[in-house]
Amino acid sequence: MPIAIFLGVALPLFAFMEIADEVGEGEARWFDESILLALRTADPADPIGPRWVETSVMDITTLGGFAVLALVTFMATGYLLVLKRWSDALTLLFATIGGTLISEGLKVGFNRPRPDLVAHVVETTSMSFPSGHAMLSAVTYLTLGALIARTQEKRWLRGYVLGGAILVTLLIGLTRVYLGVHWPTDVLAGWCLGAAWALLCWVAATWFANRISGMTSGQSRSSLAE
């Protein structure tokens, strides 16, 4: 398990650093431009597919918007506090707030412009790398998925919850490329960093909860002995 956790954090971080090192250059640039153009008709302002696909994509992409993620986080945190699951509530807040600060800091640091190869279907104002939608949706939904899955006894239920969280995260990232507001490498980098941060927060929270539980059990045994 420790090795799996280490790899789960290290591999996405390594992938992020590789993408960041090549962003906008050589094969990475060719990769970005090829995919963006493949998602357009002869008109760079017209995404492929019928109108209902474009409308559906615009609906899905809002699931990764700041307002929606903030609302989901607020409601979930309130629910956890009502249940007196203090450590889970703190984990969710720390993961989402920390992820937001990391994302915004990296955007300022890399200062990569939004794609100018195709028209943007939706309006954007921030920098492009890494994708905030991809990273923060990974942080929020994967953290929530892990917290919910931990309460399920059946393995298939845990798999279903985590699978749903991963699916939503992937769909949100893909919509950003389809809408022309992010280079594909922006989204890949956001996914990698978001997944690594979510896993790191979950591991830290689990370790802390186990440590508190162990201390409580030790105090109980000492009281009984006395």
Side-chain angles (χ1 to χ4, degrees):
M1 183 61 70
I3 294 176
I5 292 172
F6 172 78
L7 293 176
V9 175
L11 290 180
L13 285 179
F14 177 76
F16 171 81
M17 290 187 290
E18 287 293 307
I19 295 170
D21 186 55
E22 298 292 332
V23 67
E25 301 176 357
E27 293 183 358
R29 183 176 182 83
W30 173 84
F31 174 77
D32 282 338
E33 293 181 350
S34 298
I35 292 183
L36 279 183
L37 290 175
L39 294 174
R40 289 294 186 271
T41 61
D43 180 5
D46 182 27
I48 59 175
R51 176 62 184 174
W52 67 266
V53 171
E54 185 176 334
T55 302
S56 299
V57 168
M58 293 176 67
D59 289 339
I60 293 173
T61 203
T62 59
L63 296 176
F66 179 80
V68 173
L69 292 179
L71 180 61
V72 169
T73 300
F74 175 77
M75 297 298 292
T77 300
Y79 175 74
L80 293 171
L81 291 176
V82 169
L83 295 179
K84 297 183 179 181
R85 291 171 56 180
W86 316 115
S87 61
D88 287 348
L90 183 60
T91 298
L92 181 58
L93 284 177
F94 182 81
T96 52
I97 295 174
T100 301
L101 294 176
I102 293 172
S103 175
E104 293 303 313
L106 289 173
K107 282 180 178 290
V108 173
F110 283 97
N111 198 35
R112 187 186 194 187
R114 296 279 178 167
D116 55 2
L117 190 64
V118 298
H120 299 174
V121 180
V122 295
E123 293 296 325
T124 55
T125 55
S126 62
M127 291 293 103
S128 191
F129 186 90
S131 166
H133 274 65
M135 179 178 174
L136 297 181
S137 62
V139 170
T140 304
Y141 294 120
L142 293 182
T143 301
L144 277 174
L147 293 176
I148 296 172
R150 192 169 61 180
T151 65
Q152 305 301 313
E153 295 182 358
K154 296 182 178 180
R155 181 175 298 179
W156 70 269
L157 279 177
R158 295 196 296 269
Y160 179 82
V161 171
L162 289 175
I166 293 172
L167 177 61
V168 171
T169 300
L170 293 177
L171 287 176
I172 291 170
L174 293 174
T175 63
R176 306 309 286 172
V177 180
Y178 180 87
L179 296 173
V181 295
H182 272 297
W183 301 103
T185 47
D186 298 338
V187 172
L188 289 175
W191 280 338
C192 291
L193 197 56
W197 177 248
L199 179 58
L200 190 61
C201 290
W202 179 80
V203 170
T206 301
W207 175 85
F208 182 75
N210 290 339
R211 186 172 180 83
I212 294 298
S213 178
M215 293 173 60
T216 304
S217 298
Q219 292 174 355
S220 299
R221 287 194 296 269
S222 298
S223 300
L224 290 175
E226 292 175 357

